[in-house]
Amino acid sequence: METQRGVSGTIDQIGGPGRPEAGRDADSAPRLVPRRHYLRWALGLIVTVYVVAIVVSFVTNEKFNWVVVGRYLFDPMVLAGLGNTLLLTVVSMTAGLILGYLVAEMALSDSTLLRAASVTFVWVFRSLPLLVLLLLLYNVGALYDVIPIGLPFIPPILTLPTSGLSAFAVAIIAFSLHEAAYSSEIIRASIQSVPRGQLEAARALGMTRGRTMRRVIFPSAIRVALPPLMNQIIMMLKGTAIVAFIAFPDLLFSIQRIYTVNYEVMPLLIVASIWYFIIVSVATVLQRSVEHRMARVTRRRGAAAGPVSVGKARGQ
Amino acid sequence: MRATTGTPEGTMTTTASGTTPLLEAHHLRKTFGDIVAVDDVSLSVQRGEVVCLIGRSGSGKSTVLRCLNHLDPPDAGWVAVDGEVIGYRERGGALHQVSERTLASQRRQIGMVFQQFNLFPYLTATENVIEAPVGVLKHKRSEEVEVAHDLLRRVGLEHRIDAYPGQMSGGEQQRVAIARALAMKPKVMLFDEPTSALDPELVREVLEVMQALAEDGMTMIVVTHEMRFAREVGSRVIYMDAGRIVEEGTAEVLLTQPSQERTQRFLSRML
């Protein structure tokens, strides 16, 4: 009783002198004062000052040579290189994902042989550094004169001379294999993340494997797989820069070709950086919007269905 | 009264003379590694019967249910629904295992309701119900939506037709699951502890739906711990222990005057 009276007394005093009319009103509550985060403000200020200093140095340092950057940003050769980088990424990512899905299905198969083949594939192409794989394939002519297409041990339908393999073809094969090994693990894990009960429900309903995959597994698995797959796509996009080693004219190689002539090394590397920034930013925005849309499927309709249905239920 | 009482362990019971049973299981056996989950279980269920499987956890009753529609294919024995052997085709005096696709089509005559509901989370209640009729039986979507709304009304969910599973209570989800199974017009419905994952106050709404279904003449096999449901709705009760059928009989007789000591002990703990 003593303390209670004490507390209420304090409240009265708070309301009292500051806001006399509120203090006497029984319904009014004391004013709530949020805590002030002085350390947070101070640290924020320090970081801001540093960032500004860095940006200022970018602008004031004449060696950046922004005029040259501006001149080459839309240079036809740079744009052609950019196009090649995008083409390489899209083609090898598509092939890599298809192959990766097959490898993941093999990993989940009931057949020991298929599982072993899948594990071996992933093991081999995750062990090899991408650059080493690229150089190995580029020089495969030293091992095989022709690549036979057809069934093993019988005369092939078609033979491809290895000397005819372009840098582009080599790059696509290398990146696809590399990508397939990594994405197969992501795909396998995302398929396994789908609760078993949902698969059993689909089987009990008499749904076929293919339909279960499309209607039950895929919608769940894609939500799990999308962020890491997007990571892979972004890594691959930037990773394609190593094709400069086999003289394929991607963005970086085109830039190099220009600066070996005019010696404007830094401005041209900045041109390349700006383009990589732009593509990755676009990819990130796309990913966010897809993720947002997938989350909204359940959220939005839920918000609409909830109150309406409650109202109906009450009405009856 | 079709059912017989107090049959000894594991023997086949003929519940009615003359008519062929809707569902027959012959000497089912299922092992998981060293564990014998189901040991020589035979069942015979007549059209319109409600058979309740009771027993302790781990007594094999859920596995029996999962053997019936080959979610867990039995290691030995076979199951026939309406004379058709599930998972096999008879050829030259032997039963040859059928393809996954054929098995899927055979399963369509057996509905199943799970303890954890297992609704498809990215589909609404209606979409969950029409998924199999439209996708598997290739029925017209507009017609199936009508059927689905009708079924959802029957289970008391006309106000939840567009709700996603995540927005529904456990009881509502389980009733959608029942509607989803019914949409395939199964000959027999299997219920695997349909109320075990529900909050106590939600159990009744699901049991009421099941009771209404039984009264409509649906053939049902129910694994349950709800003794009241077994007594009031079950036409026959089977008590299982250690993978075997210990005793079976009419609900009234088995639940009140069990002849086996093990059944008596189990029931004295449950009631």
Side-chain angles (χ1 to χ4, degrees), chain B residues 64-108:
Chain B
V64 167
L65 213 60
R66 296 167 58 86
C67 281
L68 294 181
N69 67 353
H70 275 237
L71 272 188
D72 285 332
D75 300 332
W78 51 271
V79 178
V81 173
D82 222 0
E84 186 183 5
V85 178
I86 303 297
Y88 294 92
R89 184 178 294 131
E90 200 170 348
R91 199 169 351 111
L95 290 175
H96 296 266
Q97 198 175 0
V98 296
S99 68
E100 188 64 33
R101 186 170 281 271
T102 311
L103 176 59
S105 75
Q106 290 178 330
R107 279 198 184 112
R108 290 165 203 161

mmCIF file of all heavy atoms in Angstrom, chain B residues 64-108:
data_model
loop_
_atom_site.group_PDB
_atom_site.id
_atom_site.type_symbol
_atom_site.label_atom_id
_atom_site.label_comp_id
_atom_site.label_asym_id
_atom_site.label_seq_id
_atom_site.Cartn_x
_atom_site.Cartn_y
_atom_site.Cartn_z
ATOM 1 N N VAL B 64 0.075 -50.340 -40.742
ATOM 2 C CA VAL B 64 -0.931 -51.152 -41.441
ATOM 3 C C VAL B 64 -1.673 -50.268 -42.435
ATOM 4 O O VAL B 64 -1.818 -50.605 -43.615
ATOM 5 C CB VAL B 64 -1.933 -51.785 -40.441
ATOM 6 C CG1 VAL B 64 -3.139 -52.359 -41.188
ATOM 7 C CG2 VAL B 64 -1.258 -52.863 -39.623
ATOM 8 N N LEU B 65 -2.088 -49.081 -41.953
ATOM 9 C CA LEU B 65 -2.832 -48.161 -42.802
ATOM 10 C C LEU B 65 -2.004 -47.766 -44.027
ATOM 11 O O LEU B 65 -2.492 -47.724 -45.152
ATOM 12 C CB LEU B 65 -3.171 -46.913 -41.977
ATOM 13 C CG LEU B 65 -4.475 -46.207 -42.282
ATOM 14 C CD1 LEU B 65 -5.634 -47.153 -42.051
ATOM 15 C CD2 LEU B 65 -4.616 -44.979 -41.404
ATOM 16 N N ARG B 66 -0.703 -47.490 -43.794
ATOM 17 C CA ARG B 66 0.176 -47.054 -44.881
ATOM 18 C C ARG B 66 0.508 -48.199 -45.837
ATOM 19 O O ARG B 66 0.865 -47.946 -46.989
ATOM 20 C CB ARG B 66 1.446 -46.432 -44.305
ATOM 21 C CG ARG B 66 1.147 -45.150 -43.495
ATOM 22 C CD ARG B 66 2.346 -44.730 -42.678
ATOM 23 N NE ARG B 66 3.498 -44.495 -43.518
ATOM 24 C CZ ARG B 66 3.757 -43.347 -44.117
ATOM 25 N NH1 ARG B 66 2.955 -42.329 -43.935
ATOM 26 N NH2 ARG B 66 4.814 -43.211 -44.871
ATOM 27 N N CYS B 67 0.394 -49.440 -45.341
ATOM 28 C CA CYS B 67 0.566 -50.590 -46.230
ATOM 29 C C CYS B 67 -0.645 -50.720 -47.158
ATOM 30 O O CYS B 67 -0.523 -51.140 -48.304
ATOM 31 C CB CYS B 67 0.704 -51.882 -45.422
ATOM 32 S SG CYS B 67 2.346 -52.133 -44.723
ATOM 33 N N LEU B 68 -1.815 -50.350 -46.651
ATOM 34 C CA LEU B 68 -3.040 -50.553 -47.422
ATOM 35 C C LEU B 68 -3.001 -49.776 -48.732
ATOM 36 O O LEU B 68 -3.445 -50.279 -49.765
ATOM 37 C CB LEU B 68 -4.275 -50.146 -46.604
ATOM 38 C CG LEU B 68 -4.570 -50.998 -45.357
ATOM 39 C CD1 LEU B 68 -5.822 -50.494 -44.654
ATOM 40 C CD2 LEU B 68 -4.717 -52.476 -45.711
ATOM 41 N N ASN B 69 -2.463 -48.552 -48.739
ATOM 42 C CA ASN B 69 -2.382 -47.811 -50.008
ATOM 43 C C ASN B 69 -0.945 -47.754 -50.543
ATOM 44 O O ASN B 69 -0.633 -46.925 -51.389
ATOM 45 C CB ASN B 69 -2.974 -46.410 -49.877
ATOM 46 C CG ASN B 69 -2.184 -45.501 -48.960
ATOM 47 O OD1 ASN B 69 -1.241 -45.945 -48.302
ATOM 48 N ND2 ASN B 69 -2.551 -44.246 -48.913
ATOM 49 N N HIS B 70 -0.096 -48.625 -50.001
ATOM 50 C CA HIS B 70 1.279 -48.751 -50.499
ATOM 51 C C HIS B 70 2.112 -47.481 -50.337
ATOM 52 O O HIS B 70 3.031 -47.250 -51.115
ATOM 53 C CB HIS B 70 1.297 -49.225 -51.957
ATOM 54 C CG HIS B 70 1.213 -50.722 -52.073
ATOM 55 N ND1 HIS B 70 2.150 -51.475 -52.709
ATOM 56 C CD2 HIS B 70 0.298 -51.581 -51.596
ATOM 57 C CE1 HIS B 70 1.807 -52.743 -52.648
ATOM 58 N NE2 HIS B 70 0.685 -52.829 -51.981
ATOM 59 N N LEU B 71 1.770 -46.604 -49.353
ATOM 60 C CA LEU B 71 2.719 -45.535 -49.029
ATOM 61 C C LEU B 71 3.962 -46.184 -48.442
ATOM 62 O O LEU B 71 5.077 -45.721 -48.649
ATOM 63 C CB LEU B 71 2.115 -44.552 -48.023
ATOM 64 C CG LEU B 71 1.306 -43.393 -48.574
ATOM 65 C CD1 LEU B 71 0.953 -42.420 -47.470
ATOM 66 C CD2 LEU B 71 2.044 -42.671 -49.685
ATOM 67 N N ASP B 72 3.743 -47.238 -47.659
ATOM 68 C CA ASP B 72 4.814 -48.148 -47.255
ATOM 69 C C ASP B 72 4.449 -49.507 -47.838
ATOM 70 O O ASP B 72 3.624 -50.214 -47.267
ATOM 71 C CB ASP B 72 4.890 -48.268 -45.721
ATOM 72 C CG ASP B 72 5.509 -47.051 -45.075
ATOM 73 O OD1 ASP B 72 6.329 -46.402 -45.737
ATOM 74 O OD2 ASP B 72 5.172 -46.761 -43.918
ATOM 75 N N PRO B 73 5.035 -49.872 -48.986
ATOM 76 C CA PRO B 73 4.649 -51.157 -49.589
ATOM 77 C C PRO B 73 4.991 -52.304 -48.637
ATOM 78 O O PRO B 73 6.089 -52.338 -48.090
ATOM 79 C CB PRO B 73 5.508 -51.230 -50.858
ATOM 80 C CG PRO B 73 6.026 -49.851 -51.070
ATOM 81 C CD PRO B 73 6.072 -49.184 -49.736
ATOM 82 N N PRO B 74 4.055 -53.218 -48.415
ATOM 83 C CA PRO B 74 4.345 -54.327 -47.509
ATOM 84 C C PRO B 74 5.442 -55.237 -48.074
ATOM 85 O O PRO B 74 5.571 -55.368 -49.289
ATOM 86 C CB PRO B 74 3.009 -55.064 -47.397
ATOM 87 C CG PRO B 74 2.211 -54.610 -48.567
ATOM 88 C CD PRO B 74 2.686 -53.250 -48.929
ATOM 89 N N ASP B 75 6.235 -55.837 -47.169
ATOM 90 C CA ASP B 75 7.288 -56.763 -47.605
ATOM 91 C C ASP B 75 6.671 -58.086 -48.053
ATOM 92 O O ASP B 75 7.209 -58.769 -48.920
ATOM 93 C CB ASP B 75 8.269 -57.038 -46.464
ATOM 94 C CG ASP B 75 8.941 -55.761 -45.988
ATOM 95 O OD1 ASP B 75 9.066 -54.837 -46.813
ATOM 96 O OD2 ASP B 75 9.315 -55.687 -44.805
ATOM 97 N N ALA B 76 5.582 -58.445 -47.413
ATOM 98 C CA ALA B 76 4.885 -59.669 -47.792
ATOM 99 C C ALA B 76 3.394 -59.441 -47.608
ATOM 100 O O ALA B 76 2.983 -58.565 -46.853
ATOM 101 C CB ALA B 76 5.357 -60.839 -46.917
ATOM 102 N N GLY B 77 2.599 -60.253 -48.307
ATOM 103 C CA GLY B 77 1.151 -60.096 -48.248
ATOM 104 C C GLY B 77 0.672 -59.125 -49.304
ATOM 105 O O GLY B 77 1.485 -58.507 -49.995
ATOM 106 N N TRP B 78 -0.638 -59.035 -49.435
ATOM 107 C CA TRP B 78 -1.174 -58.142 -50.457
ATOM 108 C C TRP B 78 -2.499 -57.544 -50.031
ATOM 109 O O TRP B 78 -3.154 -58.035 -49.118
ATOM 110 C CB TRP B 78 -1.294 -58.845 -51.799
ATOM 111 C CG TRP B 78 -2.004 -60.167 -51.759
ATOM 112 C CD1 TRP B 78 -1.434 -61.383 -51.533
ATOM 113 C CD2 TRP B 78 -3.414 -60.401 -51.923
ATOM 114 N NE1 TRP B 78 -2.382 -62.369 -51.555
ATOM 115 C CE2 TRP B 78 -3.604 -61.799 -51.798
ATOM 116 C CE3 TRP B 78 -4.505 -59.588 -52.182
ATOM 117 C CZ2 TRP B 78 -4.856 -62.404 -51.904
ATOM 118 C CZ3 TRP B 78 -5.771 -60.179 -52.295
ATOM 119 C CH2 TRP B 78 -5.931 -61.570 -52.156
ATOM 120 N N VAL B 79 -2.862 -56.470 -50.707
ATOM 121 C CA VAL B 79 -4.083 -55.740 -50.389
ATOM 122 C C VAL B 79 -4.934 -55.680 -51.654
ATOM 123 O O VAL B 79 -4.402 -55.462 -52.740
ATOM 124 C CB VAL B 79 -3.740 -54.291 -49.956
ATOM 125 C CG1 VAL B 79 -5.014 -53.505 -49.661
ATOM 126 C CG2 VAL B 79 -2.805 -54.292 -48.755
ATOM 127 N N ALA B 80 -6.225 -55.894 -51.504
ATOM 128 C CA ALA B 80 -7.111 -55.738 -52.659
ATOM 129 C C ALA B 80 -8.261 -54.821 -52.280
ATOM 130 O O ALA B 80 -8.820 -54.917 -51.184
ATOM 131 C CB ALA B 80 -7.638 -57.093 -53.107
ATOM 132 N N VAL B 81 -8.577 -53.883 -53.187
ATOM 133 C CA VAL B 81 -9.733 -53.014 -53.007
ATOM 134 C C VAL B 81 -10.714 -53.329 -54.125
ATOM 135 O O VAL B 81 -10.353 -53.254 -55.297
ATOM 136 C CB VAL B 81 -9.325 -51.531 -53.041
ATOM 137 C CG1 VAL B 81 -10.561 -50.639 -53.020
ATOM 138 C CG2 VAL B 81 -8.429 -51.205 -51.856
ATOM 139 N N ASP B 82 -11.920 -53.725 -53.731
ATOM 140 C CA ASP B 82 -12.947 -54.064 -54.709
ATOM 141 C C ASP B 82 -12.440 -55.119 -55.705
ATOM 142 O O ASP B 82 -12.700 -55.031 -56.897
ATOM 143 C CB ASP B 82 -13.367 -52.784 -55.464
ATOM 144 C CG ASP B 82 -14.874 -52.735 -55.658
ATOM 145 O OD1 ASP B 82 -15.563 -53.682 -55.213
ATOM 146 O OD2 ASP B 82 -15.345 -51.754 -56.260
ATOM 147 N N GLY B 83 -11.668 -56.066 -55.203
ATOM 148 C CA GLY B 83 -11.165 -57.148 -56.038
ATOM 149 C C GLY B 83 -9.885 -56.854 -56.797
ATOM 150 O O GLY B 83 -9.299 -57.749 -57.396
ATOM 151 N N GLU B 84 -9.426 -55.592 -56.789
ATOM 152 C CA GLU B 84 -8.217 -55.239 -57.519
ATOM 153 C C GLU B 84 -7.026 -55.178 -56.552
ATOM 154 O O GLU B 84 -7.055 -54.444 -55.565
ATOM 155 C CB GLU B 84 -8.399 -53.864 -58.188
ATOM 156 C CG GLU B 84 -7.236 -53.484 -59.087
ATOM 157 C CD GLU B 84 -7.389 -52.087 -59.682
ATOM 158 O OE1 GLU B 84 -8.350 -51.376 -59.321
ATOM 159 O OE2 GLU B 84 -6.513 -51.709 -60.484
ATOM 160 N N VAL B 85 -6.004 -55.975 -56.870
ATOM 161 C CA VAL B 85 -4.833 -56.006 -55.998
ATOM 162 C C VAL B 85 -4.031 -54.720 -56.186
ATOM 163 O O VAL B 85 -3.733 -54.319 -57.312
ATOM 164 C CB VAL B 85 -3.947 -57.239 -56.294
ATOM 165 C CG1 VAL B 85 -2.703 -57.238 -55.411
ATOM 166 C CG2 VAL B 85 -4.743 -58.513 -56.060
ATOM 167 N N ILE B 86 -3.702 -54.069 -55.079
ATOM 168 C CA ILE B 86 -2.982 -52.795 -55.134
ATOM 169 C C ILE B 86 -1.483 -53.047 -55.339
ATOM 170 O O ILE B 86 -0.870 -53.850 -54.639
ATOM 171 C CB ILE B 86 -3.186 -51.990 -53.829
ATOM 172 C CG1 ILE B 86 -4.675 -51.751 -53.549
ATOM 173 C CG2 ILE B 86 -2.417 -50.671 -53.869
ATOM 174 C CD1 ILE B 86 -5.384 -50.913 -54.590
ATOM 175 N N GLY B 87 -0.917 -52.359 -56.305
ATOM 176 C CA GLY B 87 0.536 -52.422 -56.517
ATOM 177 C C GLY B 87 0.989 -53.597 -57.368
ATOM 178 O O GLY B 87 2.165 -53.705 -57.680
ATOM 179 N N TYR B 88 0.069 -54.489 -57.714
ATOM 180 C CA TYR B 88 0.454 -55.669 -58.503
ATOM 181 C C TYR B 88 -0.567 -55.949 -59.589
ATOM 182 O O TYR B 88 -1.696 -55.482 -59.546
ATOM 183 C CB TYR B 88 0.569 -56.904 -57.590
ATOM 184 C CG TYR B 88 1.689 -56.795 -56.597
ATOM 185 C CD1 TYR B 88 1.448 -56.270 -55.340
ATOM 186 C CD2 TYR B 88 2.976 -57.196 -56.924
ATOM 187 C CE1 TYR B 88 2.470 -56.138 -54.417
ATOM 188 C CE2 TYR B 88 4.008 -57.073 -56.016
ATOM 189 C CZ TYR B 88 3.754 -56.542 -54.758
ATOM 190 O OH TYR B 88 4.767 -56.420 -53.873
ATOM 191 N N ARG B 89 -0.124 -56.730 -60.562
ATOM 192 C CA ARG B 89 -1.030 -57.200 -61.606
ATOM 193 C C ARG B 89 -0.829 -58.706 -61.717
ATOM 194 O O ARG B 89 0.298 -59.184 -61.691
ATOM 195 C CB ARG B 89 -0.681 -56.508 -62.925
ATOM 196 C CG ARG B 89 -1.638 -56.851 -64.052
ATOM 197 C CD ARG B 89 -1.269 -56.104 -65.322
ATOM 198 N NE ARG B 89 -1.459 -54.665 -65.179
ATOM 199 C CZ ARG B 89 -0.566 -53.744 -65.510
ATOM 200 N NH1 ARG B 89 0.616 -54.111 -65.977
ATOM 201 N NH2 ARG B 89 -0.836 -52.470 -65.378
ATOM 202 N N GLU B 90 -1.944 -59.417 -61.769
ATOM 203 C CA GLU B 90 -1.839 -60.873 -61.829
ATOM 204 C C GLU B 90 -1.536 -61.314 -63.254
ATOM 205 O O GLU B 90 -2.191 -60.884 -64.201
ATOM 206 C CB GLU B 90 -3.149 -61.517 -61.353
ATOM 207 C CG GLU B 90 -2.945 -62.951 -60.935
ATOM 208 C CD GLU B 90 -4.175 -63.525 -60.240
ATOM 209 O OE1 GLU B 90 -5.082 -62.756 -59.896
ATOM 210 O OE2 GLU B 90 -4.210 -64.746 -60.072
ATOM 211 N N ARG B 91 -0.470 -62.097 -63.410
ATOM 212 C CA ARG B 91 -0.114 -62.611 -64.727
ATOM 213 C C ARG B 91 0.545 -63.971 -64.550
ATOM 214 O O ARG B 91 1.515 -64.085 -63.781
ATOM 215 C CB ARG B 91 0.827 -61.626 -65.442
ATOM 216 C CG ARG B 91 0.849 -61.857 -66.933
ATOM 217 C CD ARG B 91 1.549 -60.759 -67.758
ATOM 218 N NE ARG B 91 1.919 -59.545 -67.067
ATOM 219 C CZ ARG B 91 3.183 -59.203 -66.818
ATOM 220 N NH1 ARG B 91 4.176 -59.963 -67.172
ATOM 221 N NH2 ARG B 91 3.449 -58.055 -66.204
ATOM 222 N N GLY B 92 0.001 -64.983 -65.180
ATOM 223 C CA GLY B 92 0.571 -66.331 -65.118
ATOM 224 C C GLY B 92 0.664 -66.863 -63.700
ATOM 225 O O GLY B 92 1.661 -67.456 -63.313
ATOM 226 N N GLY B 93 -0.357 -66.616 -62.902
ATOM 227 C CA GLY B 93 -0.399 -67.166 -61.556
ATOM 228 C C GLY B 93 0.491 -66.455 -60.556
ATOM 229 O O GLY B 93 0.585 -66.850 -59.400
ATOM 230 N N ALA B 94 1.167 -65.379 -61.010
ATOM 231 C CA ALA B 94 2.014 -64.637 -60.073
ATOM 232 C C ALA B 94 1.577 -63.178 -60.057
ATOM 233 O O ALA B 94 0.927 -62.703 -60.988
ATOM 234 C CB ALA B 94 3.473 -64.741 -60.494
ATOM 235 N N LEU B 95 1.932 -62.466 -58.997
ATOM 236 C CA LEU B 95 1.628 -61.048 -58.926
ATOM 237 C C LEU B 95 2.875 -60.258 -59.320
ATOM 238 O O LEU B 95 3.909 -60.376 -58.684
ATOM 239 C CB LEU B 95 1.180 -60.659 -57.514
ATOM 240 C CG LEU B 95 -0.185 -61.187 -57.070
ATOM 241 C CD1 LEU B 95 -0.442 -60.837 -55.613
ATOM 242 C CD2 LEU B 95 -1.302 -60.634 -57.951
ATOM 243 N N HIS B 96 2.768 -59.489 -60.411
ATOM 244 C CA HIS B 96 3.905 -58.697 -60.878
ATOM 245 C C HIS B 96 3.717 -57.257 -60.439
ATOM 246 O O HIS B 96 2.637 -56.692 -60.614
ATOM 247 C CB HIS B 96 4.006 -58.757 -62.404
ATOM 248 C CG HIS B 96 4.283 -60.133 -62.899
ATOM 249 N ND1 HIS B 96 5.552 -60.590 -63.166
ATOM 250 C CD2 HIS B 96 3.445 -61.178 -63.156
ATOM 251 C CE1 HIS B 96 5.481 -61.841 -63.570
ATOM 252 N NE2 HIS B 96 4.218 -62.225 -63.571
ATOM 253 N N GLN B 97 4.776 -56.679 -59.892
ATOM 254 C CA GLN B 97 4.688 -55.307 -59.420
ATOM 255 C C GLN B 97 4.404 -54.362 -60.591
ATOM 256 O O GLN B 97 5.012 -54.485 -61.654
ATOM 257 C CB GLN B 97 6.005 -54.897 -58.748
ATOM 258 C CG GLN B 97 5.841 -53.684 -57.865
ATOM 259 C CD GLN B 97 7.107 -53.344 -57.097
ATOM 260 O OE1 GLN B 97 8.119 -54.017 -57.228
ATOM 261 N NE2 GLN B 97 7.040 -52.306 -56.307
ATOM 262 N N VAL B 98 3.484 -53.409 -60.393
ATOM 263 C CA VAL B 98 3.126 -52.494 -61.476
ATOM 264 C C VAL B 98 4.001 -51.240 -61.411
ATOM 265 O O VAL B 98 4.719 -51.020 -60.440
ATOM 266 C CB VAL B 98 1.638 -52.074 -61.399
ATOM 267 C CG1 VAL B 98 0.735 -53.275 -61.593
ATOM 268 C CG2 VAL B 98 1.343 -51.350 -60.098
ATOM 269 N N SER B 99 3.921 -50.423 -62.446
ATOM 270 C CA SER B 99 4.705 -49.196 -62.491
ATOM 271 C C SER B 99 4.158 -48.194 -61.474
ATOM 272 O O SER B 99 3.014 -48.294 -61.021
ATOM 273 C CB SER B 99 4.634 -48.581 -63.882
ATOM 274 O OG SER B 99 3.320 -48.114 -64.107
ATOM 275 N N GLU B 100 4.993 -47.208 -61.166
ATOM 276 C CA GLU B 100 4.600 -46.136 -60.246
ATOM 277 C C GLU B 100 3.332 -45.440 -60.749
ATOM 278 O O GLU B 100 2.446 -45.080 -59.982
ATOM 279 C CB GLU B 100 5.774 -45.159 -60.145
ATOM 280 C CG GLU B 100 5.661 -44.072 -59.106
ATOM 281 C CD GLU B 100 5.609 -44.572 -57.668
ATOM 282 O OE1 GLU B 100 6.243 -45.601 -57.344
ATOM 283 O OE2 GLU B 100 4.927 -43.922 -56.869
ATOM 284 N N ARG B 101 3.227 -45.304 -62.073
ATOM 285 C CA ARG B 101 2.086 -44.630 -62.684
ATOM 286 C C ARG B 101 0.777 -45.422 -62.484
ATOM 287 O O ARG B 101 -0.256 -44.861 -62.149
ATOM 288 C CB ARG B 101 2.359 -44.436 -64.183
ATOM 289 C CG ARG B 101 1.348 -43.641 -64.941
ATOM 290 C CD ARG B 101 1.871 -43.321 -66.321
ATOM 291 N NE ARG B 101 2.821 -42.213 -66.281
ATOM 292 C CZ ARG B 101 2.452 -40.932 -66.400
ATOM 293 N NH1 ARG B 101 1.182 -40.640 -66.588
ATOM 294 N NH2 ARG B 101 3.332 -39.974 -66.349
ATOM 295 N N THR B 102 0.885 -46.751 -62.671
ATOM 296 C CA THR B 102 -0.303 -47.590 -62.474
ATOM 297 C C THR B 102 -0.707 -47.602 -61.005
ATOM 298 O O THR B 102 -1.886 -47.528 -60.664
ATOM 299 C CB THR B 102 -0.014 -49.030 -62.946
ATOM 300 O OG1 THR B 102 0.560 -48.967 -64.243
ATOM 301 C CG2 THR B 102 -1.273 -49.858 -62.983
ATOM 302 N N LEU B 103 0.302 -47.677 -60.122
ATOM 303 C CA LEU B 103 0.025 -47.661 -58.686
ATOM 304 C C LEU B 103 -0.693 -46.360 -58.325
ATOM 305 O O LEU B 103 -1.665 -46.355 -57.573
ATOM 306 C CB LEU B 103 1.341 -47.788 -57.901
ATOM 307 C CG LEU B 103 1.229 -47.692 -56.380
ATOM 308 C CD1 LEU B 103 0.302 -48.769 -55.828
ATOM 309 C CD2 LEU B 103 2.602 -47.805 -55.736
ATOM 310 N N ALA B 104 -0.221 -45.251 -58.918
ATOM 311 C CA ALA B 104 -0.850 -43.959 -58.645
ATOM 312 C C ALA B 104 -2.325 -44.000 -59.027
ATOM 313 O O ALA B 104 -3.175 -43.507 -58.293
ATOM 314 C CB ALA B 104 -0.127 -42.849 -59.410
ATOM 315 N N SER B 105 -2.636 -44.629 -60.157
ATOM 316 C CA SER B 105 -4.046 -44.665 -60.567
ATOM 317 C C SER B 105 -4.849 -45.580 -59.647
ATOM 318 O O SER B 105 -6.030 -45.343 -59.406
ATOM 319 C CB SER B 105 -4.163 -45.067 -62.034
ATOM 320 O OG SER B 105 -3.922 -46.434 -62.174
ATOM 321 N N GLN B 106 -4.213 -46.641 -59.124
ATOM 322 C CA GLN B 106 -4.931 -47.519 -58.180
ATOM 323 C C GLN B 106 -5.218 -46.799 -56.866
ATOM 324 O O GLN B 106 -6.244 -47.014 -56.235
ATOM 325 C CB GLN B 106 -4.095 -48.776 -57.900
ATOM 326 C CG GLN B 106 -3.995 -49.717 -59.083
ATOM 327 C CD GLN B 106 -3.117 -50.914 -58.769
ATOM 328 O OE1 GLN B 106 -2.185 -50.822 -57.974
ATOM 329 N NE2 GLN B 106 -3.413 -52.038 -59.388
ATOM 330 N N ARG B 107 -4.279 -45.940 -56.471
ATOM 331 C CA ARG B 107 -4.435 -45.239 -55.190
ATOM 332 C C ARG B 107 -5.615 -44.281 -55.188
ATOM 333 O O ARG B 107 -6.081 -43.871 -54.136
ATOM 334 C CB ARG B 107 -3.177 -44.417 -54.903
ATOM 335 C CG ARG B 107 -2.039 -45.224 -54.335
ATOM 336 C CD ARG B 107 -1.048 -44.274 -53.692
ATOM 337 N NE ARG B 107 0.117 -44.997 -53.218
ATOM 338 C CZ ARG B 107 1.322 -44.869 -53.737
ATOM 339 N NH1 ARG B 107 1.525 -44.045 -54.733
ATOM 340 N NH2 ARG B 107 2.336 -45.549 -53.242
ATOM 341 N N ARG B 108 -6.069 -43.897 -56.399
ATOM 342 C CA ARG B 108 -7.138 -42.903 -56.460
ATOM 343 C C ARG B 108 -8.432 -43.402 -55.839
ATOM 344 O O ARG B 108 -9.305 -42.624 -55.516
ATOM 345 C CB ARG B 108 -7.356 -42.471 -57.911
ATOM 346 C CG ARG B 108 -6.186 -41.650 -58.408
ATOM 347 C CD ARG B 108 -6.152 -41.496 -59.899
ATOM 348 N NE ARG B 108 -4.768 -41.193 -60.296
ATOM 349 C CZ ARG B 108 -4.282 -41.331 -61.509
ATOM 350 N NH1 ARG B 108 -5.081 -41.744 -62.480
ATOM 351 N NH2 ARG B 108 -3.027 -41.060 -61.771
#
